[in-house]
């Protein structure tokens, strides 16, 4: 019986498989990044794994509910915008964004129902 291979096939002598720094950066958060069209503009969309979201909670703009710590989700922002315009969405809310109507924003003192 031969010993188990510890490196993936195609890995070089240093243990790297020829991935670029760009590939590593998109995989750093446990997901991948793509570009999608929505509302007539291009959006950068990054899928975030739950492990990289430990200790952080976000409010989803699609359903106005909290995304708990450790839950996989999507981060989206307009292509021409900066980091201040990033929004964290539940994956289901991002996928259903075209089927949702605009939500009326409630005041702080309004009931949640």
């Amino acid at each position: 019986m031969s010993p188990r291979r510890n490196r993936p096939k195609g890995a070089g002598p240093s243990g790297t498989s020829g991935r670029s720094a760009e590939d590593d950066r998109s995989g750093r958060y446990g997901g991948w990044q793509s570009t999608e069209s929505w509302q007539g503009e291009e959006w950068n969309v990054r899928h975030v794994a739950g492990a990289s979201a430990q200790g952080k909670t976000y409010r989803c703009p699609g359903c106005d509910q909290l995304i708990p710590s450790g839950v996989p989700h999507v981060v989206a922002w307009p292509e021409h915008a900066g980091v201040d315009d990033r929004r964290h969405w539940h994956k289901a809310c991002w996928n259903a964004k075209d089927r949702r109507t605009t939500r009326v924003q409630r005041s702080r003192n309004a009931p949640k129902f």
Side-chain angles (χ1 to χ4, degrees):
M1 179 189 279
S2 61
R4 190 176 81 156
R5 177 176 261 186
N6 289 328
R7 287 186 299 234
K9 290 183 180 179
S14 64
T16 61
S17 58
R19 289 174 30 169
S20 68
E22 189 71 25
D23 292 337
D24 188 34
R25 189 168 61 218
S26 66
R28 179 172 300 185
Y29 300 102
W32 66 93
Q33 184 170 329
S34 63
T35 304
E36 296 181 21
S37 290
W38 182 47
Q39 295 181 340
E41 59 184 321
E42 295 296 313
W43 287 68
N44 292 317
V45 180
R46 178 175 289 157
H47 296 262
V48 178
S52 61
Q54 286 295 105
K56 303 171 190 169
T57 59
Y58 303 101
R59 184 162 302 273
C60 175
C63 65
D64 200 31
Q65 300 295 314
L66 287 178
I67 301 172
S69 172
V71 172
H73 61 278
V74 173
V75 180
W77 66 97
E79 194 171 50
H80 66 278
V83 294
D84 292 339
D85 293 322
R86 290 184 299 186
R87 297 294 174 257
H88 296 255
W89 296 69
H90 292 106
K91 287 183 180 183
C93 294
W94 177 255
N95 292 336
K97 65 191 175 297
D98 293 327
R99 296 187 303 268
R100 294 180 183 267
T101 59
T102 57
R103 294 180 54 90
V104 176
Q105 295 293 320
R106 55 183 155 75
S107 68
R108 287 185 169 197
N109 297 329
K112 292 187 176 185
F113 46 89

